[in-house]
Amino acid sequence: MGIGPDPVGVRGVKPRALLVVLLLRAGRRVSLDAIQEALWDGEPPRSAVANIRTHASALRTALCAGAASGAASRAGALAGGDGGYTLHAEPGDCDHLRFLESSAAGRAALLAGDAARATRLLGPALGLWDGDRAAVGVPRLGPLAGALDHLDEERMRAVEDLAEAHLWVGEPRAALRDLTGLLASAPLRSRSWALRMRAHHRIGELGGVSESYRAACAVFRDELGIAPGGELRSLYAELTGALPRSA
């Protein structure tokens, strides 16, 4: 894909959407019906198939140009036929596959108690992202919606995993840096608030623990009309030695 900027210079919303839907199923044929669902919201125009062919031709040209200029280590071969298209690309040339592999390995290392290895894997995995959303600018229609939402969720889990790993290796300030952007864009993640509270506690900032808990309470109240789960309340009591006031 890029998870971030398009590495082969494809321009236009629909050509980029075509690239993304093919990359998400690299090596497998994607039917014309699935492509239409990804490119048009609702009933596609009568010219849809002709338009897809035009976009595919432009994509094939861009892939070849990207390989010639060194923008891609290996040009994906775009093949048509059997009522669809197949993009043949090596897993190492697909940022989303590299990210998923490295983040899964980092999570496994964290669960195994090897936080240092987890940081070495999760940091570069997250470095493949440019921003906090996959395929920025591509509408999430049809088969793209669930697939790109899944990548976004995996990124957020990886950020939390990295923050936890930083806590385990004695780097609570790094954990706070990890969590700042995540909580700004996804403020209803209880695990992120818990990690932020633990990071402040490790630094010795009890005021930061209390501020984080109050902020979590305010967000949950304003967004959902409820208090955070009992886990956060129990953690607050554990870290501060006192039950929080009702928020």
Side-chain angles (χ1 to χ4, degrees), residues 7-84:
V8 294
V10 177
R11 298 291 179 264
V13 172
K14 284 185 169 51
R16 289 205 69 210
L18 175 61
L19 172 61
V20 172
V21 75
L22 293 175
L23 272 173
L24 287 171
R25 297 188 63 185
R28 294 175 289 171
R29 185 181 67 85
V30 183
S31 70
L32 288 174
D33 286 343
I35 293 173
Q36 290 182 55
E37 290 176 8
L39 268 60
W40 285 279
D41 187 9
E43 188 70 21
R46 292 181 179 179
S47 61
V49 173
N51 292 346
I52 291 171
R53 289 173 180 158
T54 299
H55 298 325
S57 177
L59 175 56
R60 188 177 288 111
T61 299
L63 288 167
C64 292
S69 67
S73 60
R74 179 181 181 274
L78 179 59
D82 296 325

Side-chain angles (χ1 to χ4, degrees), residues 105-194:
R107 185 169 301 124
L110 182 62
L111 291 173
D114 191 347
R117 174 172 167 77
T119 60
R120 293 195 298 270
L121 290 165
L122 291 165
L126 288 165
L128 294 168
W129 287 76
D130 180 36
D132 57 10
R133 284 174 63 82
V136 175
V138 173
R140 300 191 172 203
L141 305 176
L144 290 181
L148 295 180
D149 288 348
H150 171 70
L151 281 174
D152 290 346
E153 174 62 27
E154 287 301 302
R155 185 197 70 85
M156 291 187 284
R157 287 183 65 197
V159 172
E160 291 171 335
D161 288 339
L162 181 58
E164 185 171 339
H166 277 142
L167 287 179
W168 279 106
V169 299
E171 297 179 356
R173 294 191 185 279
L176 287 175
R177 290 194 298 270
D178 297 335
L179 297 166
T180 297
L182 178 53
L183 281 171
S185 61
L188 294 174
R189 297 186 70 85
S190 293
R191 183 187 177 196
S192 292
W193 287 112

